[in-house]
Amino acid sequence: MITAAGEGIPGFSGRDLPLAVGSVTGVRLWHVDMTSAEAMVSGAAVPVAGLLTGVFGGVWRRGENVAVCGGGQGSPPCHRDLVPGPECGCGFWAYWALRYAWRCDYYWRGEVVGIIQGYGRTRIGTRGCRCGKARIVGLHVRPAKPDPDGEPPALHYDDLVEVLRSYYGVPCYPSLAEMLAAHPLTVDYLPRRRQHLATSATLGPALRALPTPASWLRALRALGLAGP
C-alpha cells in the first residue's frame, strides 16, 4: 500500500496520497558485517540475524524485513502501524536512481549496492521512498580499493560474493548495469527530465571539467606556456 509523497525530507515528505495496491523497486547501499562473513566462509556456524546493515545499524534479514521505529531526539517511537511516520525518518530507505543513493551522506561508503522491493505502508518522494516492509532482490559487491598500506582485504571478493548470495538467496551481479537490467527501478515518481537516471549504472555523478580562469590563462601566456 502506497500512502504518501512529497518533499519534507529532501526528496521525501508527508503529503498523503490515496492508498494503492502494489510495490516499488529502489536501490540502496549497505555495510557488511565482515566478522560474521569471514566466520561463515571458514565454515563456522555463526548465529547472525543478517550480514548487511544500514547506516543506523538496522540488520537486513533474508526474505521479508519489517521496519521498526526507534524514535530519536527525545521523540517517542512511531506506532508500528504508522511506520514510516510522516515527521520521522523511520522505514527502509531506497532511491529511484543510483546517483541519489550515492549522494546520501551516510550511504556512499557502503560496500554493497542492492535492489529492494518495497511494499506495505510507503512514503514516496521524487528521489526515493521509505517503506514499512522490504525484501532484497539483487546485490552487487563493490570491488575493494587497494589499501595504501598494502594490507590484503579481510575477505576475498569472490568469497564475499558467494556468502552473500547464499545467505540472502538472491543473485549477486558482477556489474551494476546487469543488476539494473534485471531489476528495473521504479521511474513513475521521478520528474520526467530525471527519469533517465533510473537506468544509469553510474554510482556517482560525473565530474565536470572546470573552466580555466582567465587570470591563469594570462599568466601562462605571459610565460609562453599557453597559446593565444
Side-chain angles (χ1 to χ4, degrees):
M1 297 296 181
I2 297 171
T3 60
E7 293 291 337
I9 300 171
F12 304 82
S13 111
R15 287 191 294 114
D16 287 334
L17 288 179
L19 294 178
V21 176
S23 63
V24 291
T25 304
V27 62
R28 55 164 292 144
L29 284 78
W30 292 274
H31 293 291
V32 182
D33 179 352
M34 288 295 188
T35 301
S36 295
E38 289 176 41
M40 293 180 69
V41 168
S42 67
V46 184
V48 295
L51 295 173
L52 299 178
T53 60
V55 61
F56 296 114
V59 177
W60 282 69
R61 304 171 182 273
R62 179 186 177 122
E64 182 174 272
N65 292 265
V66 180
V68 177
C69 180
Q73 297 183 347
S75 300
C78 299
H79 189 275
R80 61 184 180 183
D81 294 333
L82 298 178
V83 174
E87 304 300 330
C88 187
C90 58
F92 297 120
W93 290 62
Y95 301 83
W96 310 138
L98 278 167
R99 182 171 299 186
Y100 293 149
W102 181 89
R103 283 180 175 175
C104 180
D105 291 342
Y106 299 113
Y107 287 126
W108 73 276
R109 294 182 184 275
E111 299 93 354
V112 177
V113 187
I115 306 292
I116 70 163
Q117 177 190 36
Y119 52 99
R121 186 178 182 89
T122 303
R123 295 191 175 275
I124 292 177
T126 56
R127 296 184 187 179
C129 61
R130 292 188 290 127
C131 307
K133 297 180 180 180
R135 64 177 68 246
I136 298 171
V137 297
L139 295 170
H140 166 71
V141 179
R142 299 173 65 189
K145 294 182 178 180
D147 191 295
D149 297 325
E151 292 291 330
L155 194 62
H156 191 277
Y157 180 87
D158 290 339
D159 289 336
L160 179 56
V161 168
E162 178 56 28
V163 76
L164 289 174
R165 183 200 63 76
S166 176
Y167 186 88
Y168 285 99
V170 300
C172 280
Y173 296 92
S175 71
L176 292 170
E178 290 178 68
M179 184 173 69
L180 290 174
H183 308 282
L185 302 177
T186 298
V187 299
D188 307 61
Y189 307 102
L190 276 169
R192 186 176 298 276
R193 68 183 185 281
R194 301 290 186 186
Q195 290 187 358
H196 67 282
L197 295 177
T199 58
S200 172
T202 302
L203 187 58
L207 296 178
R208 296 179 179 178
L210 295 176
T212 304
S215 58
W216 292 6
L217 280 175
R218 286 196 295 269
L220 290 173
R221 286 169 182 163
L223 295 172
L225 299 176

